[in-house]
Structures are given as C-alpha cells and as structure tokens.
Amino acid sequence: HVLTHSFPTRRSSDLSQEEQFWSRFLELAQLQLKDSAYDFFVADSKLVKIDGETATIYLDGNYKELFWETNLKNALITASFEVYNTDLKFHFVFEDTEEIPSSHSGENRRLSSGSLTTEPLPKIDTGLKSKYTFDNFVQGDGNIWAKAAALAVSENLATTYNPLFIYGGPGLGKTHLLNAIGNQILENIPNARVKYVPAETFINEFLEHLRLGEMKTFKNTYRSLDLLLIDDIQSLGGKKVTTQEEFFNTFNALHSDNKQIVLTSDRSPDHLDSLEERLVTRFKWGLTQNITPPDFETRIAILRNKIEDLDYIFPNDTLEYLAGQFDSNVRDLEGALNDISLMAKVKKLKEITIDVAAEAIRARKNDNSKTLVIPIEKIQEAVGAFYGVSVKEIKGSRRVQNIVLARQVAMYLSREMTDNSLPRIGKEFGGKDHTTVIHAYEKIKSMVDTDDNLRLEIQSIKKKLN
Ligand code: ADP
Ligand code: MG
C-alpha cells in the first residue's frame, strides 16, 4: 500500500499507523528544511511499506540517500517513536518496484515544460562536449554535494537552485559537471535551448557582435536560452565594466524569466574581488557548492573508471601508486594515464608495473614541481616573506598566531614540494619531531580544502618557488 502525501496533513484517527507515521515525518521534514530542499529531496519520496520494524522508503535518486541519512534521520526516528513507540529501521530503495505506482515518475517533477519555448527558434550551438556525463563522473567526498546539486538542476530547471554556483581548484571536474548538466537536460528535453560557454568566450562574442553592429543577434541568442552554463566566471574579473554590464543584463534577463543559470569559478563568490559587487550578490541568490580534491579512495575509483577502456593490465599496486602521486588534480591523474598508454603502446607492453608507471610519468612529475631541487630553506624564505615572518622565527618555537601559521604552511609545502622525509623536515625546522610535521601538514591540508584565502595564498607562494 503506497501513500501519497498531500499537505496540509493532520493526524486523525481514521489514518492508518503507516499514514500517521509518514505524514508526521513529512511535517517534521517540512519544518526542518528550506522549501527548496524539501521540494528537491523529500517531495518525490514515498513510503513503500512498513514491515515489522523496517520502513522501506523510495527515493527518486540514490544520491539522495546521503542527504536523508545526514539530515532526515532524526525526523524519521522522532516520527517512529511518536507513532510506533519504537525505533524503526529504515531501508531506502531507488528502483521502480511493483509496489510503487508508476505514476510516481515525474509526478512532482516540475521539469518546466511550461517554461520551455514552444515556437521554433533558430538552432543554437550548444558548445557542449558529449563525453562529459553524470555517468562517468565519479562521486567522492569532495564533490558529492556539487554533483547532487548539478543533478537537481538537471531534473528541475530553474525551480531548485538558481543560479547554481560551483567553485573549486583546477582539474576537479567543474567543466565536466557543467557539461553533464547540459547533456542530461538535452536527453530529457531534446528541444531545450542550452548553451555552454566559457566566460571568456562570452565576452569575446559580445565584443565581436558589438563591433559588427549585431547586438540584436547576440541578445536573441542568449536571452532565448532555457539553460545557460557559464564556465570560469572568475575570468570576467578585470574586464571592462561595460562587458561585465552585458553579462549582468543577460543574467538578469534570464533569471527574471525563470531560466536556469549555472556558473563555475576557481574561487568562491566571496573571493571574486575583481568583479562588480552587484554581480557577486546575484551569484549568491541561489546555491553555492564547493568541490574539494578527491581523497585516495576516490582517486582510485576515478582511475578504475578511466582504465576501463584501455587494453593494458593495471595491477592494483600500480593504481595505488598513481593515486598516491597525484593528489590534488584529476586532470593530472588523467594525464598520467595518457603518458602511460603512450609508453605502453610504444614499448608494446601488456602490463603496467609500478616501474613502468614511474618511468612514464617522470616528466610530468617534474612539471608538477615535486622535485628534489627545492631546498627547504627556500620554502621557509618564501613563506616567511609572504607572511612577514623571519626564517629564524619559522624555525623557532614561538607560538604567536601568524608565526605558527607561517611555520605550518612552510612544513606543509616542504612535505608537498620536496621528497624529504618527515624527520628530515623536522630537523630543518629547528629540530622538531616528525609528529609535529605530520600535524602541521594534516592541519593545513584540511584547511586548504575549506579556506579559499589560504588556498590562494599557498598557490601564490608555490608560484614564487617554481
Ligand atoms: P575543472 O573544470 O574543475 O578544472 P575538468 O572538469 O576540466 O576540471 O576536469 C579535468 C579532467 O578530470 C576532465 O577530463 C574530467 O573528466 C576529469 N574529472 C574530474 N573530476 C572527475 C570525476 N569526479 N570523475 C571522473 N572524471 C573526473
Ligand atoms: Mg574547467
């Protein structure tokens, strides 16, 4: 027996216990969540059945389970205690089962067919790369929320998060996700008007049309879109106000017309210093999601995904070796696989041993600055200069805030940019214990994931060292 949920619901004696439980849960969830989150994560769910102590709940996407586990567990438990006086177990299902009426699919999905243009408009160049899909985007800790939001947008254009703003460091999959949204929408709604464009290209097109006196064509194209995907918005920074102005107008026109906009950037809206404030304010109207570098497990999963089509045997220890070599950029990880493929082809190898892999990626590793040649002293100097702290202070043990930060950043970089052992690094920092170095490294590493300022600071110190 499946229940539909219609609001408002009231507990009354003629509701079955199951119905009471479910409507009470929905009530709690609605109180707890913002409307947009409720609409997206809860509205399409169903209580399939309660069997003994187990409630089976249907979610219309398995990536939603994590959200339920994290945010809705308490509401479920509260409702089960109130109605059943016990702590039910919860089991989530995602597939259509006989028990779920088929009408559920699309039932609450407001896939804005109403807002989609019906009259034939000139064809647009979507700019999309079809190879970037949700299917081949590996989910991990660092990107799960960005992916969930991207999926949400591609199911409910302009009703869930508008704009969606995704930011993160280079090579972490922003462009991939942006294209995946576009490809998914076109699969669902083939005549949707979708355009992917790097911000830089947008500007160039604008200037070109302006020069040719064809602004009308430009405006017609952009303002007739159902979905605008703008990549690397940070590159608008430093552009003339008039060009930012045109983007501002396009943004407003689409947004007020309820058309979806998704943006990516290498930094959060708060750090888009060189963009006009009113633009940045608009970016924050919707949802902002951060992508952080993949953890080890995710890097392995990404590698497995990418070697599927290759003809070589990759033993596990080779995969683990590779995942250990490139830890902050998926593009590098992919590049390493390309290097290896090339070498395997040239040398007619069948199996990729660690030695082969190491040889193939040697040049790339050198490009990536993890070399033996940067002396720790140089790192200390560069970090010291950046934070206005002397090398002596960095090597010392005073626990003043800015000195501690400089010291920890220098330790972090020494570990990241050189092949020195931890005890060796400790020694170079006035004879500290290797556990101090590990602590500093871990601390800065986790801060870098969440603190844009620090990430940018470290990037600029690294640049000076290269
Ligand atoms: P960004 O735009 O953030 O700099 P890209 O989207 O260009 O990064 O990603 C760089 C490369 O890494 C692309 O080839 C992309 O397919 C791949 N990539 C990044 N993240 C993932 C992931 N989670 N799963 C699979 N491939 C990924
Ligand atoms: Mg990109």
Side-chain angles (χ1 to χ4, degrees):
H1 175 66
V2 177
L3 308 158
T4 49
H5 47 268
S6 47
F7 282 98
T9 45
R10 203 167 291 122
R11 261 210 264 169
S12 80
S13 50
D14 51 46
L15 288 180
S16 75
Q17 265 194 317
E18 283 190 12
E19 284 169 325
Q20 281 183 37
F21 161 75
W22 190 241
S23 60
R24 178 61 180 145
F25 161 69
L26 293 174
E27 219 167 70
L28 292 168
Q30 220 186 19
L31 283 175
Q32 182 195 331
L33 300 175
K34 280 197 199 148
D35 285 353
S36 60
Y38 179 88
D39 282 351
F40 175 59
F41 285 105
V42 183
D44 281 332
S45 60
K46 307 275 179 207
L47 176 64
V48 179
K49 62 180 175 198
I50 296 184
D51 232 355
E53 304 252 290
T54 304
T56 303
I57 294 168
Y58 164 82
L59 306 181
D60 63 321
N62 57 6
Y63 61 93
K64 289 184 182 173
E65 182 174 4
L66 181 68
F67 183 89
W68 279 63
E69 290 285 353
T70 343
N71 298 294
L72 294 170
K73 225 21 187 302
N74 283 337
L76 287 169
I77 290 171
T78 308
S80 68
F81 266 106
E82 284 183 17
V83 177
Y84 288 96
N85 235 327
T86 177
D87 188 358
L88 292 175
K89 293 197 177 35
F90 302 99
H91 174 61
F92 297 104
V93 294
F94 315 103
E95 293 294 314
D96 275 290
T97 71
E98 303 247 308
E99 294 158 301
I100 303 165
S102 58
S103 72
H104 84 80
S105 58
E107 180 183 55
N108 296 320
R109 218 161 284 176
R110 290 158 297 154
L111 192 55
S112 44
S113 51
S115 75
L116 291 179
T117 340
T118 43
E119 66 200 63
L121 282 158
K123 255 202 160 316
I124 27 166
D125 174 13
T126 67
L128 290 169
K129 291 211 173 70
S130 57
K131 68 172 176 176
Y132 293 138
T133 63
F134 283 118
D135 278 348
N136 60 22
F137 187 82
V138 177
Q139 176 172 312
D141 275 5
N143 62 33
I144 183 165
W145 294 110
K147 184 180 180 185
L151 275 163
V153 162
S154 57
E155 285 182 16
N156 283 308
L157 274 188
T159 55
T160 315
Y161 310 120
N162 203 14
L164 170 61
F165 189 103
I166 297 174
Y167 72 95
L172 296 183
K174 301 183 296 295
T175 298
H176 188 137
L177 272 183
L178 214 49
N179 278 273
I181 295 173
N183 288 323
Q184 185 65 49
I185 285 290
L186 284 176
E187 201 179 305
N188 296 348
I189 316 170
N191 63 349
R193 297 180 65 79
V194 175
K195 193 166 176 66
Y196 163 88
V197 66
E200 188 85 45
T201 310
F202 177 90
I203 300 296
N204 292 338
E205 277 183 25
F206 163 67
L207 294 174
E208 184 66 7
H209 282 84
L210 198 61
R211 196 174 63 82
L212 297 171
E214 291 178 351
M215 273 312 289
K216 201 160 174 225
T217 326
F218 182 82
K219 285 192 172 144
N220 281 347
T221 306
Y222 278 98
R223 296 187 190 182
S224 72
L225 295 174
D226 298 308
L227 169 63
L228 174 60
L229 304 157
I230 292 256
D231 210 356
D232 292 316
I233 193 73
Q234 79 279 351
S235 61
L236 275 191
K239 301 285 178 200
K240 284 210 210 75
V241 174
T242 45
T243 39
Q244 289 196 22
E245 172 92 20
E246 182 53 31
F247 181 73
F248 181 76
N249 293 335
T250 306
F251 184 101
N252 283 346
L254 289 172
H255 194 274
S256 66
D257 214 13
N258 250 324
K259 301 303 171 65
Q260 180 74 48
I261 302 159
V262 186
L263 309 138
T264 72
S265 159
D266 68 353
R267 63 203 79 173
S268 77
D270 293 327
H271 292 96
L272 286 168
D273 298 332
S274 51
L275 255 65
E276 277 193 84
E277 185 55 38
R278 54 182 190 159
L279 253 182
V280 175
T281 307
R282 275 165 175 65
F283 296 162
K284 294 195 253 182
W285 274 351
L287 178 76
T288 299
Q289 285 292 6
N290 185 5
I291 302 189
T292 57
D295 58 18
F296 187 75
E297 301 305 319
T298 311
R299 298 201 296 278
I300 295 274
I302 290 174
L303 283 170
R304 283 197 200 290
N305 181 275
K306 310 246 175 223
I307 62 173
E308 258 173 23
D309 306 327
L310 298 178
D311 279 337
Y312 317 105
I313 300 165
F314 276 88
N316 277 338
D317 54 356
T318 305
L319 291 183
E320 283 170 14
Y321 165 76
L322 282 175
Q325 296 297 304
F326 301 94
D327 58 4
S328 56
N329 184 327
V330 181
R331 190 176 292 120
D332 289 346
L333 206 56
E334 248 178 26
L337 277 183
N338 292 338
D339 295 348
I340 292 170
S341 284
L342 186 65
M343 177 177 281
K345 201 179 267 166
V346 171
K347 297 195 169 182
K348 299 196 167 46
L349 302 172
K350 277 277 148 246
E351 177 167 337
I352 313 298
T353 60
I354 291 185
D355 286 344
V356 171
E359 192 187 335
I361 66 172
R362 184 169 303 141
R364 180 172 299 274
K365 286 303 288 180
N366 289 340
D367 285 351
N368 279 294
S369 80
K370 183 157 186 167
T371 59
L372 294 163
V373 293
I374 300 177
I376 290 176
E377 175 86 20
K378 277 265 169 311
I379 294 177
Q380 293 167 335
E381 278 168 11
V383 173
F386 191 91
Y387 290 107
V389 170
S390 72
V391 171
K392 200 167 162 219
E393 284 170 318
I394 287 184
K395 289 183 168 187
S397 45
R398 273 181 67 203
R399 305 213 44 85
V400 179
Q401 203 180 356
N402 68 325
I403 301 179
V404 171
L405 178 68
R407 186 179 298 137
Q408 292 184 330
V409 167
M411 286 181 175
Y412 168 83
L413 287 174
S414 301
R415 171 121 170 87
E416 224 200 42
M417 302 182 76
T418 77
D419 283 342
N420 287 290
S421 67
L422 293 168
R424 174 80 226 163
I425 295 172
K427 215 163 166 206
E428 299 268 347
F429 281 80
K432 299 200 173 54
D433 196 69
H434 74 277
T435 53
T436 310
V437 182
I438 294 181
H439 172 73
Y441 177 77
E442 294 295 339
K443 179 158 171 227
I444 299 297
K445 191 169 155 63
S446 75
M447 280 169 74
V448 163
D449 283 348
T450 51
D451 182 339
D452 285 335
N453 261 336
L454 184 64
R455 183 158 53 81
L456 295 173
E457 284 168 18
I458 288 180
Q459 267 171 23
S460 88
I461 296 172
K462 269 181 161 173
K463 257 196 210 118
K464 292 216 176 77
L465 284 163
N466 280 326

